[in-house]
Amino acid sequence: MREELRLLVVAEPALADRVAGVLAESDGGRRFDCARVDGVGEAVERLARAEADAVLLALPGRGEGVMPLVELRAGAPEVPVVVLAAADDEPLAVKAVQLGATDYLVVEQLYGTLLARCVQHAVERERVRARLQRYQEEWPPSLRPAADGEGRVAPLRTALPASFAELVEDYGRMLDEAVEQVLYRVRRPTDESIRELARRIGELRAGPRDVVEVHSAAIKAREQEAGPQRMRLYSAEGQVRLLELMGHLVTFYRRLGSPAHRPRESA
């Protein structure tokens, strides 16, 4: 039986019906239970009762701008939101992502596989992000990586784009090998590669947000060529590798904070 994802669709009835129809025709590995709501207020009330896994939010255009998203994120900050926007409102959708939306899609380009993948990845990213956040909160304060305002201000993606691109490429290669192990039953050592990648990330004083962005960028780079079955494997294997990577990163910071790895005080 396929796993079901529950979605709230904040949109006009015609668009909500189209979304439900498109998802019903998708050939992914999950079913979608779509429920239309009239506005953000009703969506927040239902999310407070844990009645949905994600929200599809149609932007109302330049009149209200991104205010519905701001209200939704304020009322339900942990729920992934995928924004739907018209082609001429795409800059507004980009701004919505900058303000907390997980992803966006252009209404004129909706089709089953694309929409299904977008929703599934949004839900999975938020689940992994929450687990990583809890993971980080368990670290002793002295062992946590530099946060915004403490050393490196900007995310790794913008502060060191070349280093970020190299990490995405190397992490993506590990994902390829992990998927090949499942598909072709070949055995390749991956633990040492993940440990080395964690060391490189730690030396850049990166945190959980940066790790998730590396993971998301590598997954997104494979969406155009991989079919539904392979993308499900990338998603499943990716979550395992992501948590392994974070575990090794924790170990790196602990060693960095141990007496043997602290800089000696000058006499």
Side-chain angles (χ1 to χ4, degrees):
M1 183 176 179
R2 296 190 299 173
E3 181 182 350
E4 183 176 78
L5 286 179
R6 301 165 302 161
L7 306 179
L8 294 182
V9 184
V10 185
E12 294 296 325
L15 179 55
D17 289 344
R18 181 185 172 196
V19 165
V22 166
L23 288 173
E25 295 173 357
S26 67
D27 58 353
R30 289 179 176 172
R31 294 192 305 112
F32 298 89
D33 178 15
C34 298
R36 193 187 80 83
V37 294
D38 288 323
V40 170
E42 183 181 351
V44 171
E45 290 179 3
R46 297 188 61 169
L47 292 171
R49 298 192 295 268
E51 295 183 7
D53 301 301
V55 176
L56 290 172
L57 174 65
L59 292 181
R62 291 184 173 81
E64 296 181 55
V66 295
M67 282 308 300
L69 170 69
V70 173
E71 295 172 9
L72 185 57
R73 296 296 293 171
E78 297 181 356
V79 178
V81 180
V82 175
V83 166
L84 304 176
D88 56 354
D89 281 330
E90 191 167 1
L92 193 63
V94 173
K95 181 178 180 181
V97 171
Q98 295 171 346
L99 292 175
T102 309
D103 207 340
Y104 79 90
L105 289 172
V106 175
V107 172
E108 290 85 351
Q109 300 173 1
L110 287 184
Y111 60 89
T113 303
L114 175 63
L115 180 57
R117 284 182 181 177
C118 184
V119 171
Q120 291 180 66
H121 293 170
V123 171
E124 288 159 1
R125 280 199 297 269
E126 291 302 319
R127 287 176 179 173
V128 171
R129 191 188 301 272
R131 290 176 67 184
L132 293 178
Q133 184 61 37
R134 290 195 297 270
Y135 205 166
Q136 185 189 26
E137 289 171 355
E138 295 175 357
W139 301 354
S142 61
L143 300 179
R144 294 177 186 170
D148 289 353
E150 301 174 7
R152 180 171 50 79
V153 176
L156 184 61
R157 178 193 292 271
T158 54
L160 298 169
S163 297
F164 179 84
E166 290 178 3
L167 293 172
V168 171
E169 182 178 354
D170 292 342
Y171 179 76
R173 190 177 301 115
M174 282 190 290
L175 291 184
D176 293 336
E177 293 176 356
V179 169
E180 287 180 3
Q181 288 185 34
V182 176
L183 289 175
Y184 307 116
R185 298 183 179 180
V186 296
R187 304 258 335 153
R188 294 183 179 179
T190 58
D191 189 69
E192 187 58 39
S193 298
I194 294 177
R195 185 180 293 109
E196 172 62 18
L197 189 64
R199 181 192 64 78
R200 290 164 55 194
I201 292 174
E203 289 179 347
L204 295 172
R205 299 296 284 165
R209 179 184 63 178
D210 298 308
V211 176
V212 171
E213 288 189 347
V214 168
H215 168 83
S216 298
I219 291 289
K220 195 172 185 63
R222 281 148 181 81
E223 289 181 352
Q224 298 300 320
E225 298 181 0
Q229 178 187 7
R230 188 177 285 266
M231 282 310 305
R232 288 196 296 273
L233 289 174
Y234 273 117
S235 177
E237 295 298 319
Q239 290 187 53
V240 173
R241 297 302 179 274
L242 181 56
L243 293 175
E244 287 179 348
L245 181 59
M246 180 56 67
H248 287 306
L249 187 58
V250 171
T251 300
F252 174 86
Y253 282 124
R254 284 175 178 165
R255 289 176 178 171
L256 194 65
S258 67
H261 290 79
R262 290 173 187 161
R264 295 180 180 178
E265 295 181 1
S266 58

